[in-house]
């Protein structure tokens, strides 16, 4: 069973983080006209480094109040400083958010294709091809 947990390696965690980042970018775009809304993002490289470091350590919860190792803490969020601040205090710059959303969507699809490739390899191996 241990081998099955390592098939996707860091890509499984990357997929979850990419989903979280896409959700944050989508929230930013949706709240572009909300007064005092602060645009948020995820420091993907920082969180992935922490995650990959944790993959080398066997972590287990000893109490129900402990956070899961995959939990994204509030300290991992970045609040953007806009180049052109809005008069109402909103920090969302729609063009930038849309650009980042497009880039992250491409990265998400690449990660998904890699995982699908791994699954295809497993299927072929199970069929004896």
């Amino acid at each position: 069973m241990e081998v099955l947990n390592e098939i996707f390696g860091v890509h499984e965690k990357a997929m979850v983080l990419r989903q979280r980042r896409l959700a944050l970018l989508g929230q930013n775009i949706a709240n572009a006209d909300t007064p005092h809304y602060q645009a948020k993002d995820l420091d993907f490289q920082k969180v992935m480094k922490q995650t990959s470091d944790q993959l080398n350590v066997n972590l287990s919860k000893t109490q129900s109040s402990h956070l899961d190792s995959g939990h994204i803490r509030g300290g991992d969020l970045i609040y953007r400083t806009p180049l052109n601040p809005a008069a109402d205090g909103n920090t969302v710059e729609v063009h930038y958010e849309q650009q980042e959303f497009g880039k992250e969507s491409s990265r998400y699809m690449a990660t998904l294709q890699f995982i699908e490739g791994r699954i295809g390899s497993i299927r072929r191996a199970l069929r004896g091809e």
Side-chain angles (χ1 to χ4, degrees), residues 1 27 62 103:
M1 196 60 147
Q27 288 173 2
T62 56
K103 287 182 195 175

Side-chain angles (χ1 to χ4, degrees), residues 21 96 98-108:
R21 184 160 189 248
Y96 180 79
Q98 289 174 334
Q99 175 187 0
E100 288 298 307
F101 191 90
K103 287 182 195 175
E104 196 60 34
S105 295
S106 297
R107 293 176 187 137
Y108 179 86

Side-chain angles (χ1 to χ4, degrees), residues 68-81:
D68 293 327
S69 61
H71 181 72
I72 299 171
R73 299 176 304 271
D76 296 326
L77 292 179
I78 300 169
Y79 291 89
R80 294 199 208 288
T81 304

Side-chain angles (χ1 to χ4, degrees), residues 87-104:
D88 65 0
N90 186 303
T91 62
V92 175
E93 294 179 309
V94 177
H95 291 31
Y96 180 79
E97 300 296 332
Q98 289 174 334
Q99 175 187 0
E100 288 298 307
F101 191 90
K103 287 182 195 175
E104 196 60 34

